[in-house]
Amino acid sequence: MEEQINQMPRIGDLAPDFEANTTYGPIKFSEFNKGSWVILFSHPADFTPVCTTEMSGFALRSEEFKALNTKLMGLSIDSIHSHVAWVNNVKKNSGVLFNFPIVADIDMKVSKLYGMLQPNESETAAVRAVFIIDPTGKVRLIMYYPLNVGRNMDEIVRALKALQVSDKHNVALPLNWVPGEKVIVPPPKTVEEMEEREKSDYEMMDFYLAKKDL
Ligand code: BEZ
């Protein structure tokens, strides 16, 4: 039991597959993930204030995620009836529809699989976890927040864009990078590459820290 709670996928691992009941019906994760990025995120409980702001934040930016070939999937240890009632309540009160599936993880199966249950924080509610999973099913980035601190939606979007830019252009992204700024060219691996670099028009602090425009 303890071992199961402590288990969590690491960066580079294949995202553990599961089947679950959601607000958009039963879903097999590996099918949902096929051909697109997925942001799988947990929240502690329905009908709570911080969670309402976060879920609304995801919903309000869902078109932006769609444009980034990214699907959203929420999760909490609540029943499907609670989820549906909350979705309905928020829609009525604010006009925002949680237009992505929310897993009803009432048996904590998925929470345990993804290390979302952190017993010293809560034994019954998932912490605020974010897993960014690529179209091959690999976990690429993980964030964990405690119950009382909401996440930063701009950072989630920025991190997703950074992963996609890194994959597409074989570059790394420096501190606080945002799209449009210079990117880091991987350090040279041979003397020949190092000499080539000296002739380049990269912005260089030294041969190992070189930046370029995309
Ligand atoms: C909240 O979403 O406001 C919340 C949920 C669980 C514990 C603390 C805060």
Side-chain angles (χ1 to χ4, degrees):
M1 176 73 165
E2 186 63 20
E3 199 175 297
Q4 213 183 3
I5 286 178
N6 286 335
Q7 171 182 339
M8 68 175 274
R10 292 160 299 189
I11 290 174
D13 289 354
L14 269 187
D17 201 11
F18 60 86
E19 288 182 44
N21 196 17
T22 80
T23 47
Y24 284 81
I27 291 181
K28 184 173 167 63
F29 184 78
S30 54
E31 291 293 325
F32 185 74
N33 186 198
K34 214 166 255 175
S36 50
W37 291 73
V38 175
I39 299 186
L40 173 65
F41 56 97
S42 54
H43 67 273
D46 297 348
F47 292 100
T48 53
V50 178
C51 298
T52 302
T53 63
E54 290 189 318
M55 297 294 272
S56 302
F58 275 111
L60 288 168
R61 295 184 73 164
S62 57
E63 282 304 311
E64 199 177 341
F65 286 114
K66 198 169 159 193
L68 293 165
N69 185 30
T70 302
K71 293 179 179 172
L72 301 173
M73 181 181 277
L75 174 152
S76 76
I77 302 167
D78 286 294
S79 71
I80 199 69
H81 307 295
S82 168
H83 281 346
V84 171
W86 188 36
V87 170
N88 184 44
N89 177 276
V90 175
K91 186 172 172 233
K92 278 197 176 138
N93 280 307
S94 70
V96 176
L97 174 69
F98 299 165
N99 54 356
F100 46 82
I102 308 169
V103 172
D105 195 32
I106 199 75
D107 61 2
M108 305 184 184
K109 186 181 77 181
V110 184
S111 306
K112 288 176 183 170
L113 202 56
Y114 278 79
M116 293 163 170
L117 253 188
Q118 309 221 340
N120 290 327
E121 179 73 344
S122 169
E123 290 190 352
T124 52
V127 296
R128 303 177 193 281
V130 180
F131 287 87
I132 302 186
I133 298 160
D134 74 17
T136 73
K138 199 182 273 187
V139 174
R140 300 292 301 278
L141 193 144
I142 302 171
M143 300 176 189
Y144 273 87
Y145 279 59
L147 300 191
N148 54 358
V149 179
R151 287 158 282 202
N152 182 314
M153 196 55 58
D154 288 337
E155 172 56 10
I156 294 171
V157 173
R158 187 198 78 95
L160 172 66
K161 287 181 177 172
L163 287 167
Q164 294 186 347
V165 163
S166 174
D167 282 5
K168 187 169 176 194
H169 299 281
N170 185 32
V171 293
L173 294 316
L175 173 76
N176 294 337
W177 176 87
V178 287
E181 291 182 354
K182 286 186 190 298
V183 300
I184 293 177
V185 191
K189 291 190 191 69
T190 61
V191 172
E192 201 178 11
E193 279 179 18
M194 189 181 71
E195 284 171 350
E196 274 300 306
R197 174 158 298 198
E198 276 162 11
K199 289 183 241 148
S200 76
D201 57 1
Y202 296 158
E203 176 191 301
M204 270 197 281
M205 186 202 82
D206 206 324
F207 77 94
Y208 65 88
L209 173 48
K211 293 184 184 174
K212 67 171 186 181
D213 288 312
L214 270 184

